[in-house]
Amino acid sequence: MKNCWTHKKLAIAMLLLMTTSMTKADELSGHISGLIGLKFMNSSDWSNINTHFSMGFLFDIKKESWPVSITLSLMDTGSEYEHDGLKDLSHTTEYHFGVSKIFQSHDSKIQPYIGGGVSFIYAEQEYEVNNITTTQDGRGVGSWMGGGMYYVIKPRFVLGLDVRYSNGEVTLFNKERDAGGINTGVTGGFQF
């Protein structure tokens, strides 16, 4: 969990680079939203710590002349399992980079979207046995795909739903594990 701030700083730097490199010839549009939800992971890989609470943010940007939007998302998830006075913990951080197609209509407040791309995953697992804590972490690269929708509350404010599947293998405690899963959540944020 110690790498959380480093990951967030990297994501912010990537967003700034993406937005400052744009030319002003085309009109820009996009969304910035926070996400709260759940992540469901493979139970054979993660046993009792396979359902995570999830927080993150979603960002997309598009020039008027582009057919699709560039998408960057960050999901930070975690779970704990208590047994015999001890705790087992699991934590993942995922960066999703890719493209999305947002279907917008001037006469509808609903904006459905689909997307996909590459997923960069960090995972950490911690076990307590006989009051001794053992921790390991790993990194992997995989893919993601998903969809959802924005609902326009006011011209600049949107609420929404997001569902996506990701995968990415990491090695923890000498076992290959899929650190991805199904992320579901509600979103709220701004469109520009």
Side-chain angles (χ1 to χ4, degrees), residues 27-191:
E27 177 108 12
L28 292 175
S29 62
H31 300 85
I32 300 173
S33 297
L35 175 139
I36 295 177
L38 294 173
K39 178 179 180 180
F40 303 97
M41 302 169 72
N42 187 328
S43 59
S44 64
D45 286 344
W46 299 91
S47 63
N48 294 318
I49 46 180
N50 65 331
T51 302
H52 286 200
F53 175 72
S54 178
M55 293 180 66
F57 79 88
L58 313 176
F59 173 78
D60 63 76
I61 192 164
K62 178 184 179 301
K63 282 188 181 181
E64 196 174 331
S65 60
W66 295 352
V68 294
S69 300
I70 296 173
T71 301
L72 176 66
S73 304
L74 169 67
M75 307 285 183
D76 201 52
T77 75
S79 179
E80 70 178 35
Y81 172 68
E82 291 192 37
H83 57 97
D84 303 321
L86 305 173
K87 286 184 185 177
D88 295 340
L89 304 171
S90 62
H91 168 256
T92 68
T93 301
E94 295 187 47
Y95 297 99
H96 295 170
F97 184 73
V99 296
S100 62
K101 177 66 176 174
I102 301 170
F103 302 94
Q104 294 176 308
S105 171
H106 293 294
D107 51 347
S108 176
K109 292 186 170 213
I110 297 174
Q111 303 171 0
Y113 60 85
I114 56 172
V118 64
S119 176
F120 301 95
I121 297 180
Y122 166 84
E124 181 179 50
Q125 200 168 16
E126 182 178 295
Y127 287 113
E128 269 189 89
V129 178
N130 299 326
N131 291 323
I132 297 171
T133 303
T134 307
T135 304
Q136 281 196 359
D137 60 22
R139 288 167 178 75
V141 178
S143 60
W144 70 274
M145 63 179 179
M149 67 106 188
Y150 295 113
Y151 182 79
V152 181
I153 302 296
K154 293 191 174 184
R156 297 282 181 211
F157 183 65
V158 292
L159 295 176
L161 300 171
D162 188 84
V163 178
R164 59 184 65 201
Y165 169 77
S166 63
N167 60 32
E169 295 290 323
V170 297
T171 302
L172 298 172
F173 298 101
N174 299 317
K175 182 180 177 183
E176 288 283 325
R177 303 167 195 264
D178 186 356
I182 298 173
N183 276 292
T184 63
V186 294
T187 64
F190 301 94
Q191 68 177 358

